[in-house]
């Protein structure tokens, strides 16, 4: 099968605008860890099911061990947090609390507590499919990631 050119693939994929989340979990020593991710997808409403795609690393090890993760959807002022949890800045001191055994960041626009039900390995990533045991949200605007850059809020609403 023919494969898309890697640069064209990356640039075309960047045209799919997403929100930005920080995945959180407790590692095998009980320490909180976090990782920036935009691969969050809702799969079904009943039961409430989501997935995230996570590359090998500390967060991958933490979710594999605990079988749980939190999804913290960042607010539009969350660019520094996103960079921090992507390993690109050490300047921010993230504020979080442990809620129901999962680290929860302050001031997020939504939070999902997720229990892993299934994993699928795809090259160097794993899809962690999970049922949502709890979630909540507020009406603040989210951070948006589009064309490899952060943007404020979702833009102007248009008719559905
Ligand atoms: C917009 C965007 C979307 C992304 N989407 C994805 C995706 O969907 N899937 C994917 O696999 N990768 C994604 N990445 C890349 C991913 O965020 C980085 O590769 C990440 O650094 C890997 O995390 P890690 O747990 O392996 O590494 P680590 O380096 O262990 O952790 C990442 C950073 O978080 C900090 N950190 C971790 N825990 C804590 C804590 N308790 N307190 C304070 N700081 C802490 C660390 O200091 C480090 O700087 C995305 C990056 C960006 C910018």
């Amino acid at each position: 099968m023919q494969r898309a050119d890697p640069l064209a693939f990356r640039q075309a994929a960047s045209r799919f605008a997403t929100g930005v989340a920080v995945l959180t979990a407790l590692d095998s020593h009980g320490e909180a860890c976090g990782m920036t991710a935009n691969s969050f997808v809702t799969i079904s409403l009943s039961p409430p099911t989501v997935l995230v795609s996570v590359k090998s690393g500390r967060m991958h090890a933490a979710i594999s061990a605990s079988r749980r993760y939190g999804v913290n959807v960042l607010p539009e002022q969350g660019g520094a947090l996103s960079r921090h949890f992507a390993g690109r800045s050490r300047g921010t001191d993230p504020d979080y609390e442990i809620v129901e055994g999962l680290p929860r960041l302050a001031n997020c626009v939504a939070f999902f507590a997720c229990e892993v039900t299934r994993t699928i390995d795809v090259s160097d990533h794993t899809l962690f499919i999970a049922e949502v045991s709890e979630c909540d949200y507020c009406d603040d605007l989210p951070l948006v990631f589009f064309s490899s850059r952060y943007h404020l809020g979702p833009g102007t609403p248009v008719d559905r």
Side-chain angles (χ1 to χ4, degrees):
M1 188 183 76
Q2 182 181 325
R3 281 204 174 135
D5 171 70
L7 181 61
F9 174 64
R10 198 172 175 137
Q11 290 182 338
S14 80
R15 266 55 184 182
F16 187 61
T18 67
V20 183
V22 173
L23 307 183
T24 52
L26 295 180
D27 68 16
S28 54
H29 305 290
E31 286 188 23
C33 53
M35 188 196 91
T36 301
N38 68 344
S39 58
F40 174 62
V41 174
T42 51
I43 300 178
S44 77
L45 295 179
S46 183
T49 304
V50 299
L51 75 73
V52 290
S53 173
V54 180
K55 195 174 176 178
S56 304
R58 189 177 169 206
M59 177 56 59
H60 187 287
I63 298 176
S64 299
S66 67
R67 309 284 294 178
R68 302 186 74 202
Y69 59 87
V71 179
N72 300 260
V73 180
L74 292 181
E76 62 178 3
Q77 319 84 322
L81 272 180
S82 175
R83 281 186 281 274
H84 175 86
F85 284 108
R88 292 177 194 163
S89 142
R90 308 250 159 200
T92 322
D93 191 15
D95 194 7
Y96 69 87
E97 56 178 343
I98 302 293
V99 179
E100 306 254 341
L102 285 171
R104 179 174 177 159
L105 296 176
N107 304 318
C108 284
V109 299
F111 178 76
F112 303 82
C114 306
E115 316 279 334
V116 174
T117 55
R118 201 172 155 199
T119 62
I120 301 172
D121 293 329
V122 182
S123 63
D124 58 350
H125 282 66
T126 298
L127 307 183
F128 289 102
I129 297 170
E131 281 194 25
V132 176
S133 57
E134 259 186 73
C135 62
D136 61 41
Y137 67 95
C138 72
D139 289 329
D140 292 347
L141 294 176
L143 184 64
V144 170
F145 197 61
F146 168 66
S147 194
S148 306
R149 298 189 64 186
Y150 297 106
H151 298 261
L152 297 178
T156 310
V158 291
D159 289 342
R160 293 195 217 198

